[in-house]
Amino acid sequence: MTFSGLQGLQSSVTQGTPGIQAHLTAYSRRKPIFSGTETLSGAHLTCQPPAQPIACSSSLPRRFRHPQAFKSHTHALSTRHTSKCRMCTMKCQAKQHSTDMQTAPEVSPEVGKGKKLLIIGGTGRVGSSTADSLRQTHPNLTIILASQSQESYDAAVKNRPSLQGLAFTKVNRNDLQSIMSAVKDCDLVLHCAGPFQRKNECLVLEAAIQAKKPYIDVCDDNDYAARAKAVYHEKAKAAGVPAITSGGIYPGVSNVMAAHMVSTARREYDAEGHFVGKDGANKSEAVQPKKLQYFYYTAGTGGVGPTIMETSYLLAGTPVIAYADGKQVNAKPVSQPLTVDFGKGLGRKTVWLYNLPEVESAFKYMKVPNVSARFGTDPAFWNWAMVATARLVPVKILTDRAKIRAFAKKTNPVIKLVDPLIGEKVGMRVDLELEDGSKACGVFIHKKLSDSAGTCIAAFVDTVLTGGTKPGVWFPEEPEAIADRMRLLQQASQGCIRFELNQPPWKIESDAKQMGMGFYW
């Protein structure tokens, strides 16, 4: 079985788009986007450049062209503009590429006015970053930070002085009654108290549903997210509670990027850009997705503290679930590295297989038959340290939250010494291959994960506050989760040094050069 989605097929992954030869006008010598070999339970994909690499003209398949009604839009989903950016669903004005930050969507002062947001885990790095972002974008929203100690609140304010004056409440996230007491007077619950790995109960979600309060979490664990969906979806619908699980940066915004690209290929947007689904799609032009790959990179811990290390250690003890040809396949954690080109602003990075919830949710809810997710970091020895951890440390230890928490605390001093030297840059790349062989790509790059994570989560908060989520528990890629994907992506990408969607893969390469007349070298 071959991971390309067709049995026995050897697939080359390159900078070109070999499935649309009718639209090619020239060959050029290109470097491969990926290097490495991918093997998943017998599935084998060798990544190498083709014998005759190719470049594309600006004439692209119609499924990626703009609906005519989008003429009024600028390229809000990209920090850069081109005169013929046909692979985005919004009509671009003819503008020269620049690195200027895109214009933020207007937020009415009424959004959040008179409402209270409770952030459980609000004194942590992710929760406090979200609170900081929301104070800027939703000044009339009352924000309450919740954690297990006053000392954590004092430390958060010291780290982020902009949080001074926010209310604080003490809550035990492992006690349902303590959570119930905290959520009863709020209007929206945001759960940022990770790690979510090896948690057997969804107590915060349960409390939110019982109190009939909208809910968002930033879960990055496959088992936790699946349990939230399976156990609480119908309960949330019956209670009229809108809830989003895995609503962070990755997973979260990455899911929405993928959903937008898949819906574009399936022609699931009307001329005004509203999602109409398969029933309203132009079936004659729709093309189904064949393969979806998530690639993530964070420099060091990204400035979000020891929690990300605790999460990484726990994931090192979790077998990877991926999908090939519509079937679940398994692989070792932190395995099968690929070198991926994230393009200008980040360059080439090596990423490794991890077990992440967006893989299963993409398979189930976007019906993509081949899905995987990889993550990498710098400096390089951190990756190899994670490989060694996954191979040498007994699984019994890697699945013990208490022991992993202690281990993360012991390694934190070393990490704190290295992190300032390498920065906090974060990158996401989402690659989509369609049944006809054509490819599309999305990229998200930000200088600071500690800021970007808060901006992304704040975008999900805005969606729920504005009534954009239906009752039930949803993954971000499900249409019921996000009524306006364009708005969420525009908000989430604020501050990015690069954010593009539905581009041909070769176009985002680090050293792509435009030769003129639609030719690239």
Side-chain angles (χ1 to χ4, degrees):
M1 179 173 62
T2 303
F3 193 58
S4 65
L6 295 175
Q7 288 195 357
L9 175 65
Q10 288 290 325
S11 175
S12 296
V13 184
T14 74
Q15 290 295 80
T17 50
I20 52 173
Q21 277 86 351
H23 301 277
L24 306 178
T25 58
Y27 293 110
S28 78
R29 292 185 291 273
R30 309 290 295 144
K31 298 177 182 178
I33 278 183
F34 308 117
S35 62
T37 300
E38 183 174 77
T39 306
L40 293 173
S41 296
H44 186 76
L45 169 62
T46 301
C47 301
Q48 59 186 11
Q52 289 184 307
I54 50 180
C56 295
S57 73
S58 58
S59 178
L60 295 166
R62 290 188 63 194
R63 65 188 158 279
F64 288 128
R65 297 184 190 177
H66 306 283
Q68 288 301 310
F70 281 34
K71 292 179 179 178
S72 62
H73 284 281
T74 59
H75 195 171
L77 293 184
S78 176
T79 58
R80 309 197 301 174
H81 300 265
T82 59
S83 59
K84 286 191 176 182
C85 184
R86 296 192 178 187
M87 295 189 77
C88 176
T89 56
M90 292 195 296
K91 185 73 175 178
C92 300
Q93 294 178 346
K95 293 185 177 182
Q96 186 67 25
H97 277 296
S98 70
T99 56
D100 296 337
M101 184 176 67
Q102 62 270 23
T103 304
E106 184 176 346
V107 177
S108 169
E110 298 300 313
V111 176
K113 187 175 183 179
K115 294 186 177 182
K116 296 180 180 179
L117 167 68
L118 177 72
I119 306 180
I120 294 181
T123 62
R125 299 292 182 91
V126 174
S128 59
S129 173
T130 304
D132 194 6
S133 180
L134 285 167
R135 291 200 84 177
Q136 300 175 49
T137 58
H138 296 70
N140 292 319
L141 175 66
T142 299
I143 301 172
I144 304 168
L145 304 182
S147 73
Q148 299 189 82
S149 70
Q150 177 70 41
E151 289 76 16
S152 66
Y153 172 76
D154 295 338
V157 172
K158 183 179 180 180
N159 186 53
R160 285 184 181 269
S162 59
L163 301 182
Q164 185 72 44
L166 290 185
F168 170 76
T169 187
K170 188 176 180 179
V171 63
N172 181 355
R173 67 189 183 190
N174 298 313
D175 181 80
L176 182 60
Q177 293 306 313
S178 176
I179 301 169
M180 287 292 297
S181 178
V183 305
K184 64 181 181 180
D185 294 325
C186 73
D187 299 288
L188 172 60
V189 180
L190 173 60
H191 184 10
C192 294
F196 292 85
Q197 285 72 20
R198 305 297 170 182
K199 295 284 287 186
N200 296 320
E201 297 175 297
C202 303
L203 294 181
V204 179
L205 174 56
E206 184 175 335
I209 293 174
Q210 287 190 26
K212 296 187 177 181
K213 308 295 184 181
Y215 168 92
I216 303 169
D217 68 44
V218 298
C219 171
D220 55 359
D221 180 66
N222 189 51
D223 289 344
Y224 189 100
R227 186 183 307 114
K229 179 73 171 180
V231 177
Y232 294 99
H233 177 64
E234 293 302 328
K235 293 180 181 180
K237 286 182 71 175
V241 173
I244 298 175
T245 186
S246 301
I249 178 171
Y250 61 83
V253 170
S254 59
N255 304 46
V256 182
M257 291 169 64
H260 173 67
M261 293 163 65
V262 169
S263 289
T264 301
R266 285 175 170 160
R267 307 301 287 178
E268 292 178 336
Y269 295 116
D270 64 16
E272 299 297 327
H274 303 126
F275 181 85
V276 294
K278 61 181 180 180
D279 294 332
N282 185 339
K283 294 182 175 61
S284 64
E285 295 186 357
V287 181
Q288 296 305 312
K290 183 174 74 172
K291 184 176 182 179
L292 178 64
Q293 293 177 294
Y294 293 100
F295 303 115
Y296 305 130
Y297 165 85
T298 296
T301 66
V304 297
T307 299
I308 193 171
M309 291 308 303
E310 190 175 339
T311 297
S312 297
Y313 294 142
L314 289 167
L315 285 172
T318 306
V320 172
I321 293 176
Y323 290 88
D325 298 330
K327 297 179 181 180
Q328 180 179 313
V329 293
N330 298 99
K332 293 180 179 179
V334 202
S335 63
Q336 301 177 37
L338 292 178
T339 299
V340 178
D341 192 344
F342 287 85
K344 293 179 180 178
L346 192 55
R348 297 173 186 270
K349 301 295 179 180
T350 301
V351 291
W352 309 70
L353 279 176
Y354 279 85
N355 191 52
L356 298 175
E358 56 267 48
V359 172
E360 186 168 324
S361 61
F363 174 77
K364 287 185 176 180
Y365 304 111
M366 290 194 288
K367 308 299 182 184
V368 183
N370 299 276
V371 195
S372 64
R374 283 178 166 82
F375 169 81
T377 186
D378 274 332
F381 65 78
W382 285 147
N383 292 310
W384 291 107
M386 291 306 303
V387 173
T389 299
R391 303 295 176 270
L392 302 178
V393 178
V395 174
K396 186 177 181 179
I397 294 178
L398 291 175
T399 56
D400 188 317
R401 285 175 57 91
K403 291 181 179 178
I404 289 300
R405 184 178 299 111
F407 184 52
K409 288 182 178 179
K410 288 181 179 179
T411 57
N412 191 51
V414 177
I415 293 168
K416 288 177 69 175
L417 289 175
V418 175
D419 271 3
L421 303 177
I422 58 176
E424 302 179 18
K425 192 170 286 188
V426 59
M428 301 188 290
R429 174 170 168 161
V430 181
D431 276 41
L432 178 66
E433 181 180 346
L434 303 180
E435 288 289 353
D436 67 355
S438 57
K439 297 179 175 72
C441 180
V443 65
F444 176 115
I445 301 174
H446 196 287
K447 288 184 177 180
K448 298 184 71 175
L449 174 63
S450 58
D451 290 340
S452 181
T455 302
C456 289
I457 298 165
F460 283 101
V461 171
D462 179 81
T463 293
V464 175
L465 286 174
T466 55
T469 304
K470 294 183 178 180
V473 178
W474 311 103
F475 285 93
E477 61 265 45
E478 294 186 86
E480 297 87 350
I482 312 295
D484 189 344
R485 290 171 179 165
M486 303 297 104
R487 177 182 172 87
L488 183 140
L489 290 171
Q490 191 178 2
Q491 290 179 319
S493 61
Q494 292 305 298
C496 281
I497 59 177
R498 192 176 187 191
F499 183 71
E500 299 182 51
L501 281 177
N502 277 327
Q503 297 292 335
W506 56 266
K507 196 170 184 180
I508 73 161
E509 189 183 23
S510 302
D511 59 353
K513 295 181 175 64
Q514 185 173 6
M515 306 302 292
M517 299 180 67
F519 290 83
Y520 284 80
W521 185 267

